[in-house]
């Protein structure tokens, strides 16, 4: 007994799949996919090494960074002192390890403060309309032109030993304005999207619209702003330490360079200043790689170009070749008699 044709067609028709529900965690996972880029992954690995060094500094450093040994002054690198000693016998490697903690603590504190203020001001200014939005935008413009270095010098001169939290607060206070402007512009483009209008039409409260609907779509911009602000904070801290604004009791890489410059270590005693300069450069490279990876994820053109380049590398093609390469495979050419006759030179002889 055969089934009717209509029943057969109905049996073969697949059931439509239910649309996948979009949640906050799914949007967060999609936004964090920016760190799967090879550039971002490399930058995160380098930054992670510095973080581990800062956390386990007492276990890694072989000596007390402030301990003096006048019998071993200005010693070159050796097994006893991996990076040599200073003019009063202090171990440079131990100072470098403990200085990593000072740099990262101030960098992260300043960046977190600046990012929180940028999110609050930028997203609020982009979501609101009228004079409220313009007032917050004007506030961002004012802080955008405030010079951070002179302000830090003035604040530090009022304290005999300014704490790290105060230094981070000043650096964060002068570093949030640019991120707030970028977030304001992006929020203004999001507030008229269909999903935002639907959430408002459903009576969703303001905090839920911002936290659940907007922020997951702004994570890439926030991450890029975070990395850029941290780069500026680290460079600002080392600059302030190098010129002597920050007291020498706050050990960091800039302090090492300050003492090396004060005691005429350039250029003979290279082990005193080269490692600190390399650490500053390497940390900047890691943050730049993270920023490049995020930028490639956010920008569709860069993302497609990067995916195309990686696909060509997997196929063994040269990206710098002047002529476009064609990857050939061994296939059977004699598929038809005409093709066989054209391929065989003996077929044309009589």
């Amino acid at each position: 007994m055969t089934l009717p044709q209509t029943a057969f067609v109905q049996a073969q028709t697949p059931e439509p799949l239910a649309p996948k529900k979009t949640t906050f965690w799914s949007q967060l996972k999609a936004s964090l996919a920016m760190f799967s880029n090879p550039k971002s992954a490399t930058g995160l690995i380098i930054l992670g090494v510095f973080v581990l060094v800062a956390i386990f500094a007492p276990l890694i450093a072989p000596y007390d960074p402030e301990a003096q040994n006048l019998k071993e002054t200005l010693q070159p690198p050796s097994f006893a002192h991996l990076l040599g000693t200073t003019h009063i016998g202090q171990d440079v490697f131990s100072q470098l390890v403990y200085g990593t903690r000072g740099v990262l603590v101030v960098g992260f504190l300043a960046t977190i403060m600046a990012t929180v203020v940028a999110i609050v001001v930028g997203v609020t200014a982009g979501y609101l309309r009228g004079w409220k939005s313009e007032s917050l935008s004007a506030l961002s413009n004012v802080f955008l032109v405030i010079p951070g270095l002179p302000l830090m010098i003035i604040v530090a001169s009022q304290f005999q030993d300014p704490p790290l939290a105060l230094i981070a607060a000043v650096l964060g206070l002068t570093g949030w304005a640019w991120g707030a402007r970028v977030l304001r512009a992006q929020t203004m483009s999001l507030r008229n999207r269909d999903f935002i209008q639907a959430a408002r039409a459903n009576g969703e409260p303001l905090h839920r619209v911002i936290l659940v609907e907007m922020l997951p779509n702004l994570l890439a911009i926030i991450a890029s702003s975070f990395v850029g602000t941290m780069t500026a904070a680290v460079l600002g801290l080392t600059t302030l330490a190098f010129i002597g604004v920050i007291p020498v009791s706050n050990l960091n890489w800039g302090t090492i360079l300050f003492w090396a410059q004060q005691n005429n270590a350039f250029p003979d005693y290279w082990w005193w200043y080269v490692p600190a300069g390399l650490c500053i450069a390497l940390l900047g490279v890691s943050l730049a790689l993270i920023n490049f990876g995020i930028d490639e994820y956010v920008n569709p053109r860069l993302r497609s170009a990067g995916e195309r380049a990686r696909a060509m590398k997997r196929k063994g093609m040269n990206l710098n070749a002047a002529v476009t390469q064609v990857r050939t495979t061994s296939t059977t050419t004699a598929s038809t008699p005409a093709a066989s006759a054209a391929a065989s030179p003996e077929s044309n002889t009589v």
Side-chain angles (χ1 to χ4, degrees):
M1 180 178 179
T2 59
L3 293 174
Q5 185 176 3
T6 55
F8 179 76
V9 173
Q10 185 177 3
Q12 294 295 325
T13 303
E15 296 182 0
L17 297 176
K20 194 173 182 180
K21 186 178 180 181
T22 302
T23 61
F24 173 78
W25 297 110
S26 63
Q27 292 180 346
L28 179 63
K29 183 179 180 181
S31 300
L32 292 179
M34 69 186 92
F35 297 116
S36 62
N37 186 284
K39 296 178 182 178
S40 296
T42 304
L44 286 175
I45 292 173
I46 299 174
L47 181 60
V49 171
F50 281 115
V51 172
L52 292 177
V53 170
I55 294 174
F56 300 103
L59 301 178
I60 298 175
Y63 302 96
D64 183 358
E66 301 296 337
Q68 302 179 10
N69 186 358
L70 299 180
K71 296 181 180 180
E72 297 181 352
T73 59
L74 296 176
Q75 294 295 316
S78 61
F79 289 105
H81 301 280
L82 297 179
L83 294 178
T85 60
T86 66
H87 66 297
I88 53 177
Q90 295 173 329
D91 185 65
V92 176
F93 178 73
S94 300
Q95 289 189 341
L96 195 71
V97 171
Y98 276 91
T100 305
R101 176 179 293 182
V103 169
L104 293 185
V105 166
V106 175
F108 276 110
L109 282 178
T111 305
I112 291 172
M113 294 178 187
T115 304
V116 170
V117 176
I119 292 173
V120 173
V121 176
V123 175
T124 304
Y127 188 80
L128 298 178
R129 302 173 187 270
W131 65 271
K132 298 179 181 179
S133 176
E134 296 299 330
S135 300
L136 292 175
S137 178
L139 181 65
S140 302
N141 293 335
V142 170
F143 277 88
L144 192 63
V145 297
I146 293 179
L149 185 60
L151 180 61
M152 186 67 244
I153 294 175
I154 295 173
V155 173
S157 63
Q158 306 300 319
F159 298 87
Q160 185 176 0
D161 189 5
L164 293 179
L166 178 63
I167 299 171
V170 175
L171 293 174
L173 185 65
T174 57
W176 63 268
W178 180 255
R181 287 182 59 86
V182 175
L183 287 174
R184 177 178 180 267
Q186 189 68 18
T187 305
M188 290 178 66
S189 66
L190 286 176
R191 69 186 181 187
N192 294 323
R193 300 286 181 88
D194 293 338
F195 63 96
I196 299 295
Q197 297 296 332
R200 296 176 60 183
N202 289 334
E204 298 288 349
L206 177 60
H207 68 276
R208 179 174 175 80
V209 173
I210 293 178
L211 293 178
V212 178
E213 302 295 341
M214 279 193 171
L215 281 185
N217 293 280
L218 296 173
L219 280 181
I221 305 297
I222 294 173
S224 180
S225 176
F226 186 93
V227 172
T229 305
M230 186 171 180
T231 304
V234 170
L235 293 178
L237 173 68
T238 52
T239 302
L240 292 171
F242 179 70
I243 64 178
V245 175
I246 298 177
V248 295
S249 59
N250 296 328
L251 185 62
N252 58 71
W253 298 335
T255 308
I256 298 174
L257 295 177
F258 168 78
W259 282 116
Q261 190 268 339
Q262 290 293 319
N263 292 276
N264 299 320
F266 304 93
D268 297 331
Y269 309 111
W270 57 268
W271 59 85
W272 194 350
Y273 58 87
V274 169
L278 289 178
C279 285
I280 296 173
L282 191 59
L283 182 59
V285 168
S286 68
L287 295 174
L289 288 175
I290 296 173
N291 203 5
F292 291 157
I294 296 173
D295 194 18
E296 182 176 324
Y297 175 82
V298 174
N299 193 329
R301 292 185 178 180
L302 293 178
R303 183 167 66 248
S304 60
E307 292 174 354
R308 191 183 308 114
R310 287 189 289 271
M312 293 178 65
K313 285 184 178 180
R314 285 194 297 267
K315 294 179 180 179
M317 297 183 179
N318 186 9
L319 300 178
N320 298 322
V323 181
T324 303
Q325 300 180 12
V326 179
R327 188 169 181 267
T328 60
T329 58
S330 58
T331 58
T332 304
T333 56
S335 58
T336 61
S340 300
S344 177
E346 299 178 356
S347 59
N348 295 327
T349 60
V350 179

